[in-house]
Structure formats: C-alpha cells, structure tokens
Amino acid sequence: MKNFTVLLLLFTFIFSFAQKKYVLVIHGGAGTITRENMTSEKEKAYRAKLTEALKAGYAEIMKGKSSVDAVAAAIIIMEDSPLFNAGKGAVFTSDGKNELDAAIMFGKDKSAGAVAAIHTVKNPIKAAIAVMQNSEHVMMVGEGAEIFAQKQGLDIVKPEYFWTKDRWESLQKLKQKETIKNTLKTTQYHLPESYVVDQKFGTVGAVALDKDGNIAAGTSTGGMTNKKYGRIGDAPIIGAGTYANSHVGISATGWGEFFIRTSAARTIAAKMEYQNKDIKSAAGEVISEIEKMGGDGGLIALDKDGNIAMPFNTAGMYRGAVTENGQIEIEIYK
Ligand code: ASP
C-alpha cells in the first residue's frame, strides 16, 4: 500500500511537469546581471515588478481577452517602471536623448505594428499596437509616428518624462570610457571595474497565448546606451527582435545589430516550421549563432502548446512566466 502511494505521488509529480502549459512569458532585458552587482532590495524590486507584469497579462488572458491585450498589459507595467530600459527609464543616445522603439505582432493573421525613434509617446507599445490595428502600415518612425500616436489619442509626454538619474549616469560613464579609449588610441586598454557599463540593460518583452490559441509577441526598448542618434535596434524590426505566427512567438533582448543580422526571431520560427525543431533547440541555436558572431543577449519564446524557451548568453536576464493555472516563475541569473 505504501509503495503504491509513493508510486502514485511520483506519477502525479511527473505528470504535472509534463503537463505544464505556459500562457505568458516576459523578459526585462539581458546583460551583466550578476548576484555580485545586485542588492537584495534591487532584486526584490525587480521580482515584484516582473510579478506585477505577469499578473496583469495573465488577468487579460483569464478574462478571455486576446494575446495582444495580454502582451500590452504586461509591457505597460514595465514601460512605466524606471527599472527597465523601456518607456520611463529608457537609456540615452550619444546626444543625450531617449529614443524609443517598440513592436507587436499577432500570430493568427501575422498582423504587425512598430514604431521607432520616438521621444514623446508615454507607452511606445500602445503606439505599435495602434499602427498594427489602425493604420495600413507596419512601421512608423520619428515625428510621423508621434503625430499618428497623438491622433490616436495616446498619452503624449514631454521628452523629459523619460529622464532618470541612473541612465544619465550610465551615459556619462560610457562617454568617459570612450574618451579614455580615444586618448590611449589603442583597443588594448583596461579600465577599472567602475568604468565598465553595460550598454544594454532592461529592454522589455512579452509573448502570450490566449484562450483561442492565438499567440502575440511584443517588445519595447530605449535601445543601447550611447547609441548614435537615429540608430534603430532589433526590437521594432519584425522578424529580428519581435515575431509571431500561429505556432510560436518570440521577443528578444541584447545587442540588436546581431539580432537583425541573424533575423533572429523569424529564424527560430522557420527552424520550427521547416526543420521540425522544438522550441528549445530552435531558440538555443539562434543564440549560439549570435554568440559565434560576437554578439550577446537573450530571448523568450512561447509556442502554441504552451512550451517556453528563454536562452541567453549574458550573465543574466530578467525573465518570468506564468502557467495556465496561474503559477508564476521568475528567474534573473544563469
Ligand atoms: N535589443 C535592444 C537594442 O539593440 C537593446 C536591449 O535589448 O538591451 O536596441
């Protein structure tokens, strides 16, 4: 009898693992995120925000709303938080501005919307969704995208709204590093640890699977610290940093140029579609390719059966997922 009970428990345990179906996965950026650089208060704050974002997205799914609504709900929480490099808290360009990029894609009909290099829209993900749903275009940039967002009735803020002390200081440190590098006129330079600033930190993204089985993926970012004015990263490029079809959705974070050059998100979908790869192999292979090319970063992916992958080759990536019965999981380090 005792043996039978143990066996039953074991089966229930294994079965519950095999059955785990995720409905929402999010990331809050990849980078030099290590335990040593983290205080317990900071870690608590990140975990709390990621949990809030997951709960907001999950609530939409439970209400029977579309995966686009779930992605928006999760991303808006992170855009409004200065902890992440998206919306409030975005990083600075080399000329001291916050230039924001965002994208959304709905897998069912492959509709997509993106905005890039905008300075005044409080929630760039809302602008991307407006482009997808209310325009005949996929991508709008700069002033035109801002006029469109305003006409759509979205919240418009002064560019100063996005300013935060932490991000401003990161830009100053990077500029200092650049000056020293130029003075030494060599690439063989070594700087004290305090000068080492990660250029990418805290892009946000979400992929959701709604009750109708439809997937949506979205990404929002301030890009990379010290990026040149007008530089656009992978986040708003459909197929690079953001992609969704009826099988899988992907949102990436990291050194954007590499994700563009590998068509990262679309390549994962193609590997699954044409080579029958599972989500973990497909996603892992793309990160390996990026690493071989000298790039770094990570991504989140969710397929139509509720399987997820969250590979990255940086020290850490803020990430979390929620199962269909509301179980929340959050990870930060490797
Ligand atoms: N991928 C973003 C970009 O290159 C940055 C990041 O994810 O940290 O714009």
Side-chain angles (χ1 to χ4, degrees), residues 200-253:
K200 39 199 187 324
F201 239 131
T203 289
V204 307
V207 187
L209 173 64
D210 61 31
K211 285 188 170 168
D212 296 327
N214 294 318
I215 301 169
T219 315
S220 179
T221 186
M224 290 168 75
T225 306
N226 206 26
K227 67 183 181 182
K228 283 274 177 303
Y229 30 80
R231 176 265 190 189
I232 291 169
D234 60 316
I237 310 288
I238 299 301
T242 308
Y243 187 77
N245 61 19
S246 52
H247 295 275
V248 65
I250 298 113
S251 167
T253 169

Side-chain angles (χ1 to χ4, degrees), residues 21-25 207-210 215-216 245 247-251 272 279 300-309 322:
K21 182 180 171 185
Y22 293 90
V23 291
L24 175 67
V25 55
V207 187
L209 173 64
D210 61 31
I215 301 169
N245 61 19
H247 295 275
V248 65
I250 298 113
S251 167
M272 293 176 70
I279 191 166
I300 51 167
L302 169 65
D303 73 15
K304 63 174 188 352
D305 301 316
N307 301 306
I308 55 169
V322 57

